[in-house]
Amino acid sequence: THYATLTDKDVSFFERLLSSGRTITNPDECLPFNIDYIKSCQGQSQLVLRPKTVDEVQAILRYCNEHQLAVCPQSGNTGLSGGSVPVFDEIILSLRLLNSIGNFDENSGVLTTDAGCVLEKLDTHVRQFGHIMPIDLGAKGSCLIGGNVATNAGGLRVVRFGSLRSAVLGLEVVLPDGSLLDCLTSIRKDNTGIDLKQPFIGSEGILGIVTRVALACPSLMSGVGLGFFACSSFEQILSTMRLARKICGETLSAIEFLDESTYNLSLKYLQRTNKPIESNKFYILIETMSSTDEQAKATLEKLATTALEKEFITDGTLAQDLTQYKDIWAIRERVSDALVADGYVFKYDFSLPTSRMYKLVEETEERMKQFSNVGNVTGFGHLGDQNLHLNVTVKDGYSDDIKQALEPWLYEWVAKEHGSVSAEHGLGLHKSKYLELNKGKHSLELMKQMKNMFDPKCILNPYKVLPYKTD
Amino acid sequence: THYATLTDKDVSFFERLLSSGRTITNPDECLPFNIDYIKSCQGQSQLVLRPKTVDEVQAILRYCNEHQLAVCPQSGNTGLSGGSVPVFDEIILSLRLLNSIGNFDENSGVLTTDAGCVLEKLDTHVRQFGHIMPIDLGAKGSCLIGGNVATNAGGLRVVRFGSLRSAVLGLEVVLPDGSLLDCLTSIRKDNTGIDLKQPFIGSEGILGIVTRVALACPSLMSGVGLGFFACSSFEQILSTMRLARKICGETLSAIEFLDESTYNLSLKYLQRTNKPIESNKFYILIETMSSTDEQAKATLEKLATTALEKEFITDGTLAQDLTQYKDIWAIRERVSDALVADGYVFKYDFSLPTSRMYKLVEETEERMKQFSNVGNVTGFGHLGDQNLHLNVTVKDGYSDDIKQALEPWLYEWVAKEHGSVSAEHGLGLHKSKYLELNKGKHSLELMKQMKNMFDPKCILNPYKVLPYKTD
């Protein structure tokens, strides 16, 4: 291999560097850091490092770069593409202890914080000041903001607040050679030269390690509305979405959809027997947020009335209080858990033109008919962002035959439609080989040049994102 | 010099490449391309090229790269930092004829267009479909969208829609060697590897030439409100802004301020004798946009009432119809013209913490007292984005003494406050020497590496953005 093998001398160096308990070599203790959240892959790292300060991160990388030791940076380890665990025996650099919440500027609504803070904790923190985090997603209780930024994580409110990238005002990054790149400004506008922080956002830790971030946090909207509607076709789902855009306008904060099988799986998982609305083929969830409660609810009520009149929807309910609000959201938010409970899951995260979004689910269903062990083919996701989560569950565990039938067929289908094979989950390990299919040879070549510029010894998160030849 | 001198052979090549009238060598015809909008600098280019197709742009750059000919890409030539005209005799590559409006996708609200289209024309185009452009600024009638993207232009609606960067979904770029970098996706979410288009946004044409863009266009809000208020101190301006954030919430679309001298200059320029509101030290302009007219006006009315009650404002007016709306906006939008009419203008574009924003204007005023030929020291700008436009007018034309008193003092003041020396105008030629002061040595080194990666022969827009030693 290209990399050096870890020696006792190396371990001693790290033990001297990090105070007690922060250099883990015990295989049992290393195990949870070696397995990813959905158990799709497992590495064999023998060393987990848990720095508490940026200085320590710098010292670790400086040493690893000098000694040609490969490093797998790990944030909350909630990724779905195998990007956050080692492939072989890379040293795991966990950022979880780098977790001081820094300053929140009440005038500008900008939060500056260490990368290792849990997203939900930060959200609770900024809510005290009348703001919210610009990102919200199912894993909020365990994912870390640094990983969110390093993967440009998506989630439920992209339709309102845009991608996380657009909220990142400043970044501090430790480069592979241990040097510090300070782009940690917290001002909203700054056009002074090439925006150096951008390549790090969404590059999944292959260019540098994000240690601090400055984020623009939207104002807290105290008024919230939530509608849940049933439709008999995907066309009606789209009509309802377009109507919502018109009627709810600037109050819209989420547009999500589920198909019948996703909905049923989620209700089963939640052990709900009485359904909130009459069953149908599709379900759409529309959330509004406004500075006043009346406005958030008024636009939604108008939407419900009009959509019923126009027969876009067949049934619907509006959340009357926080309990109902949480109850309805749970149906959407617990889908991932419901799928895992249904068997082994092949998970896909595509971006497609809305007119083609559900066609892919139908064709996949057709294609899976030959396999009696397929549990469910389900489609759901962030409709307002054209983001489809397609899942295939297998009753009796992983099946290579099914995988062969799905890949590369699915990836080619999406590429042909000019979609993205990864709308928000990233490429990680699982999808790196499809990068060229999506982006072409020239882009791939430039990405490699950029990797080479920041990480000439290639020590950071190897085998991820960019396709590696394992020769 | 590092570059080749233009020969007749070169000119013949370009004349063969571009059909009649698109290779300009006549000095009189070259002149307007050699002078910038505010007449702050003038180049001596002897050749202007006006390609109509991307193929032609590629052929031009391929030739220039091979023959080591320096190129100054030029968009609408409305820049304020001297970035869009040649410094010496660089070939001018005007993008104005690359101007086909492409496809607008009504489902996703995404416009794909050639780079040479005029912003206002595009806005008119997408309004037919119920959308607006994500950017609005004074120069909209003449600036081109490619230049807007290449400079990450700011403007009046950043507070609502974020920076232009966040609306750019896809880019097509011709690299200095003439190769085409195709990142022209039009999907809203795409996390597949390093986001290669990002470095080009805001880098002012030093890395590549933007030829096509895909932009997410916000929905047209048919309801609009506009309030114009007078305050007796900058503190009251800030209080009014905070109140507007709370009361107007998601309907807010612009928060602009002017000080007394800016206001008076603008009224004088507009030849208005009856003032819309009672005079005071400061003026704040607050615009709301909503899907309903009632809502846009209601939040603004509530703001006006509350601000009067709390004595944050001393007088104010709300636009009752489109004529009043345009009349009020004109006061803010014609400020630049008013300043030019007042004499030679030293223009600065800073980003600062709101609490320090006006302090700088006061200190500059104090500092200018020694000069009897200073006309006005004025402060105005995008308050909601902490973006201050500071201007010093000189009655009898450019003065080196005044410049010496202003620079580098101003730049150092802003750097000390962790602001930006260029919030939205870019560095161009005038401010490139202050890049290191703002970003530090390490960042500067990395920017140079990135420049070297994309443009190893350094043919694109030389002497701009990155500080050049002229030895």
Side-chain angles (χ1 to χ4, degrees):
Chain A
T1 162
H2 171 80
Y3 300 104
T5 307
L6 191 72
T7 64
D8 287 348
K9 221 181 109 190
D10 300 326
V11 175
S12 302
F13 171 83
F14 294 118
E15 280 172 343
R16 277 194 309 276
L17 180 72
L18 305 176
S19 61
S20 61
R22 298 192 291 125
T23 305
I24 305 177
T25 51
N26 178 321
D28 287 348
E29 288 176 56
C30 286
L31 192 62
F33 295 89
N34 269 310
I35 304 178
D36 71 326
Y37 171 68
I38 51 164
K39 299 187 172 50
S40 68
C41 45
Q42 178 169 349
Q44 291 97 43
S45 179
Q46 297 152 39
L47 179 65
V48 178
L49 302 175
R50 307 202 298 160
K52 270 185 177 169
T53 67
V54 177
D55 280 353
E56 289 173 351
V57 177
Q58 289 187 264
I60 291 168
L61 284 199
R62 200 179 302 118
Y63 185 91
C64 291
N65 196 51
E66 265 170 27
H67 295 81
Q68 196 77 23
L69 288 161
V71 176
C72 174
Q74 189 173 92
S75 187
N77 197 14
T78 60
L80 298 173
S81 303
S84 59
V85 294
V87 179
F88 301 110
D89 60 352
E90 300 93 286
I91 294 171
I92 295 170
L93 176 52
S94 167
L95 276 301
R96 195 172 278 279
L97 298 183
L98 190 78
N99 59 9
S100 294
I101 302 180
N103 178 53
F104 182 79
D105 181 334
E106 292 192 60
N107 271 315
S108 60
V110 176
L111 173 74
T112 306
T113 176
D114 278 1
C117 295
V118 173
L119 174 58
E120 196 167 46
K121 229 173 153 173
L122 294 176
D123 194 58
T124 306
H125 182 72
V126 301
R127 273 173 194 267
Q128 296 174 76
F129 305 103
H131 287 260
I132 56 173
M133 290 297 280
I135 174 177
D136 185 16
L137 69 171
K140 62 188 163 198
S142 44
C143 64
L144 311 180
I145 192 65
N148 295 154
V149 169
T151 58
N152 190 32
L156 301 165
R157 304 261 159 70
V158 176
V159 73
R160 173 73 168 257
F161 301 122
S163 72
L164 183 55
R165 179 186 299 276
S166 60
V168 177
L169 301 182
L171 277 191
E172 180 191 81
V173 180
V174 177
L175 297 182
D177 67 0
S179 64
L180 196 73
L181 174 59
D182 180 4
C183 306
L184 198 63
T185 165
S186 59
I187 46 179
R188 284 180 184 263
K189 289 162 92 177
D190 183 25
N191 280 347
T192 48
I194 302 165
D195 194 345
L196 282 178
K197 68 178 175 295
Q198 295 297 338
F200 299 95
I201 303 170
S203 64
E204 304 182 54
I206 68 167
L207 302 181
I209 294 185
V210 172
T211 48
R212 285 198 185 101
V213 302
L215 290 166
C217 298
S219 293
L220 173 66
M221 316 264 140
S222 48
V224 173
L226 185 62
F228 190 59
F229 308 109
C231 300
S232 55
S233 71
F234 195 70
E235 260 318 304
Q236 287 190 337
I237 282 280
L238 295 181
S239 300
T240 309
M241 173 182 77
R242 281 192 293 264
L243 193 66
R245 285 234 164 85
K246 221 173 259 173
I247 293 179
C248 304
E250 70 280 4
T251 67
L252 269 180
S253 54
I255 311 174
E256 299 284 315
F257 92 100
L258 303 85
D259 64 7
E260 201 175 10
S261 54
T262 315
Y263 177 70
N264 289 336
L265 274 176
S266 185
L267 285 192
K268 187 178 154 196
Y269 179 78
L270 292 164
Q271 300 184 292
R272 291 210 195 153
T273 45
N274 60 338
K275 298 183 173 184
I277 52 176
E278 259 176 51
S279 298
N280 213 328
K281 298 261 177 235
F282 292 95
Y283 300 86
I284 183 167
L285 190 155
I286 291 170
E287 189 194 64
T288 53
M289 281 188 177
S290 169
S291 51
T292 67
D293 210 47
E294 307 85 71
Q295 180 66 2
K297 295 211 163 33
T299 63
L300 208 54
E301 271 158 30
K302 194 173 164 200
L303 168 67
T305 317
T306 316
L308 265 174
E309 264 171 31
K310 289 183 182 276
E311 300 185 355
F312 291 165
I313 62 175
T314 56
D315 192 21
T317 182
L318 304 182
Q320 298 303 321
D321 54 35
L322 198 62
T323 309
Q324 282 182 24
Y325 173 85
K326 283 183 178 168
D327 267 6
I328 296 174
W329 258 122
I331 299 173
R332 169 64 187 85
E333 281 188 321
R334 305 303 292 278
V335 165
S336 284
D337 297 328
L339 285 164
V340 169
D342 195 48
Y344 181 87
V345 194
F346 288 100
K347 295 184 85 70
Y348 302 96
D349 162 40
F350 299 129
S351 184
L352 283 167
T354 41
S355 60
R356 302 291 284 162
M357 262 175 85
Y358 205 72
K359 186 81 188 146
L360 182 57
V361 184
E362 288 165 349
E363 287 193 17
T364 307
E365 208 162 5
E366 192 56 40
R367 206 173 164 88
M368 289 297 104
K369 279 199 174 140
Q370 55 179 308
F371 301 103
S372 58
N373 50 339
V374 161
N376 282 281
V377 175
T378 70
F380 67 97
H382 315 296
L383 186 69
D385 305 313
Q386 309 152 287
N387 186 174
L388 169 73
H389 294 320
L390 170 67
N391 291 264
V392 178
T393 66
V394 188
K395 291 173 199 162
D396 47 6
Y398 176 82
S399 151
D400 213 51
D401 285 352
I402 293 175
K403 186 172 182 173
Q404 301 296 328
L406 291 168
E407 304 175 21
W409 175 76
L410 277 171
Y411 291 110
E412 285 164 0
W413 200 100
V414 172
K416 214 181 62 200
E417 298 284 342
H418 308 290
S420 169
V421 300
S422 179
E424 55 179 24
H425 293 170
L427 295 174
L429 176 65
H430 303 327
K431 286 174 277 182
S432 63
K433 60 179 166 225
Y434 298 111
L435 178 58
E436 190 179 323
L437 183 70
N438 231 231
K439 294 288 162 107
K441 249 191 184 23
H442 192 199
S443 291
L444 185 56
E445 194 45 54
L446 287 169
M447 287 187 204
K448 283 181 179 168
Q449 281 183 41
M450 208 172 283
K451 166 77 172 170
N452 190 49
M453 177 186 143
F454 287 109
D455 185 17
K457 291 189 173 180
C458 223
I459 63 158
L460 263 189
N461 221 8
Y463 326 107
K464 314 286 176 58
V465 186
L466 300 175
Y468 276 73
K469 288 215 178 80
T470 44
D471 51 8
Chain B
T1 161
H2 170 79
Y3 301 104
T5 307
L6 191 71
T7 65
D8 289 348
K9 220 181 110 190
D10 300 326
V11 174
S12 302
F13 170 83
F14 294 120
E15 280 172 342
R16 278 195 308 276
L17 180 72
L18 306 175
S19 61
S20 61
R22 299 192 290 125
T23 305
I24 305 177
T25 51
N26 177 320
D28 287 349
E29 288 175 57
C30 287
L31 191 62
F33 296 89
N34 269 310
I35 304 178
D36 72 327
Y37 172 67
I38 51 165
K39 299 188 171 49
S40 68
C41 44
Q42 178 170 350
Q44 292 97 41
S45 179
Q46 297 152 40
L47 179 64
V48 177
L49 302 175
R50 307 202 298 160
K52 270 185 178 169
T53 67
V54 177
D55 280 355
E56 289 172 352
V57 176
Q58 289 187 263
I60 291 167
L61 284 200
R62 200 179 302 119
Y63 185 91
C64 290
N65 196 52
E66 266 171 27
H67 295 80
Q68 197 77 23
L69 289 160
V71 176
C72 173
Q74 188 174 91
S75 188
N77 197 15
T78 59
L80 299 173
S81 303
S84 59
V85 294
V87 178
F88 300 109
D89 60 352
E90 300 94 284
I91 295 172
I92 295 169
L93 177 52
S94 166
L95 277 300
R96 195 173 277 280
L97 298 183
L98 190 77
N99 58 9
S100 295
I101 302 180
N103 178 55
F104 182 79
D105 181 334
E106 292 193 62
N107 270 313
S108 61
V110 177
L111 173 73
T112 305
T113 178
D114 278 0
C117 295
V118 172
L119 174 60
E120 196 167 45
K121 228 172 155 174
L122 295 176
D123 194 58
T124 306
H125 182 71
V126 301
R127 273 173 193 266
Q128 296 174 78
F129 305 103
H131 287 260
I132 57 173
M133 290 297 280
I135 175 178
D136 185 15
L137 68 172
K140 61 188 163 198
S142 44
C143 65
L144 311 179
I145 192 66
N148 294 154
V149 169
T151 58
N152 191 31
L156 301 166
R157 304 261 158 70
V158 177
V159 73
R160 172 73 166 258
F161 302 121
S163 73
L164 183 54
R165 180 187 298 277
S166 60
V168 177
L169 301 182
L171 276 191
E172 181 190 81
V173 180
V174 177
L175 298 182
D177 66 1
S179 65
L180 196 72
L181 173 59
D182 179 4
C183 307
L184 198 63
T185 166
S186 60
I187 46 179
R188 283 182 184 262
K189 289 162 91 176
D190 183 25
N191 278 348
T192 48
I194 301 164
D195 195 344
L196 282 178
K197 67 178 176 293
Q198 295 298 337
F200 299 95
I201 304 170
S203 64
E204 305 182 53
I206 68 167
L207 302 180
I209 293 185
V210 172
T211 49
R212 284 196 186 101
V213 301
L215 289 167
C217 298
S219 293
L220 173 65
M221 316 264 140
S222 48
V224 172
L226 185 62
F228 190 58
F229 308 107
C231 300
S232 55
S233 71
F234 195 70
E235 261 316 306
Q236 288 190 336
I237 283 279
L238 295 182
S239 301
T240 309
M241 174 182 76
R242 282 192 294 264
L243 194 65
R245 285 234 164 87
K246 221 174 258 174
I247 292 180
C248 305
E250 69 280 4
T251 67
L252 268 181
S253 54
I255 311 174
E256 300 285 315
F257 92 100
L258 303 85
D259 63 8
E260 200 175 9
S261 55
T262 315
Y263 177 71
N264 290 336
L265 274 176
S266 185
L267 285 193
K268 187 178 154 196
Y269 179 79
L270 291 164
Q271 300 183 292
R272 291 210 195 152
T273 44
N274 60 339
K275 297 183 175 185
I277 52 177
E278 260 176 51
S279 299
N280 213 327
K281 298 259 175 237
F282 292 95
Y283 299 87
I284 182 167
L285 189 154
I286 290 171
E287 189 194 64
T288 54
M289 282 188 175
S290 169
S291 50
T292 66
D293 209 47
E294 306 84 70
Q295 180 66 2
K297 295 211 163 33
T299 62
L300 207 56
E301 270 158 30
K302 194 172 164 201
L303 168 67
T305 317
T306 316
L308 266 173
E309 265 172 30
K310 289 182 181 278
E311 299 184 355
F312 291 165
I313 62 177
T314 56
D315 191 20
T317 181
L318 304 182
Q320 298 302 321
D321 53 35
L322 196 63
T323 309
Q324 282 183 24
Y325 172 85
K326 285 183 178 167
D327 267 7
I328 295 173
W329 258 122
I331 299 173
R332 169 63 187 86
E333 280 187 322
R334 305 304 292 277
V335 165
S336 284
D337 297 327
L339 286 164
V340 170
D342 196 49
Y344 181 87
V345 194
F346 287 100
K347 295 184 86 68
Y348 302 97
D349 162 39
F350 299 130
S351 184
L352 283 167
T354 42
S355 60
R356 301 291 284 163
M357 263 175 85
Y358 206 71
K359 187 81 188 144
L360 181 58
V361 183
E362 288 164 350
E363 288 194 15
T364 306
E365 209 163 4
E366 192 57 39
R367 205 174 164 87
M368 289 297 105
K369 278 199 175 139
Q370 56 178 307
F371 300 103
S372 59
N373 52 338
V374 161
N376 282 281
V377 175
T378 70
F380 67 97
H382 316 296
L383 186 68
D385 305 313
Q386 309 151 286
N387 185 174
L388 169 73
H389 294 319
L390 170 67
N391 291 264
V392 178
T393 65
V394 188
K395 290 174 198 162
D396 47 6
Y398 176 83
S399 150
D400 213 50
D401 284 352
I402 292 175
K403 185 170 184 175
Q404 303 295 329
L406 290 169
E407 304 175 20
W409 174 76
L410 278 170
Y411 292 111
E412 285 164 0
W413 200 100
V414 172
K416 215 182 62 202
E417 297 284 342
H418 308 290
S420 169
V421 300
S422 179
E424 55 179 24
H425 293 171
L427 295 174
L429 175 65
H430 302 328
K431 287 174 275 182
S432 62
K433 62 180 163 224
Y434 300 109
L435 178 58
E436 189 178 324
L437 183 70
N438 232 232
K439 295 289 162 109
K441 249 189 185 22
H442 192 200
S443 290
L444 185 55
E445 195 44 54
L446 287 169
M447 288 187 203
K448 282 181 179 167
Q449 281 183 41
M450 207 174 283
K451 166 76 172 171
N452 190 49
M453 178 186 143
F454 287 109
D455 186 18
K457 291 188 172 182
C458 223
I459 63 159
L460 264 189
N461 221 9
Y463 326 108
K464 314 286 175 58
V465 186
L466 300 174
Y468 277 73
K469 287 214 179 79
T470 43
D471 52 7

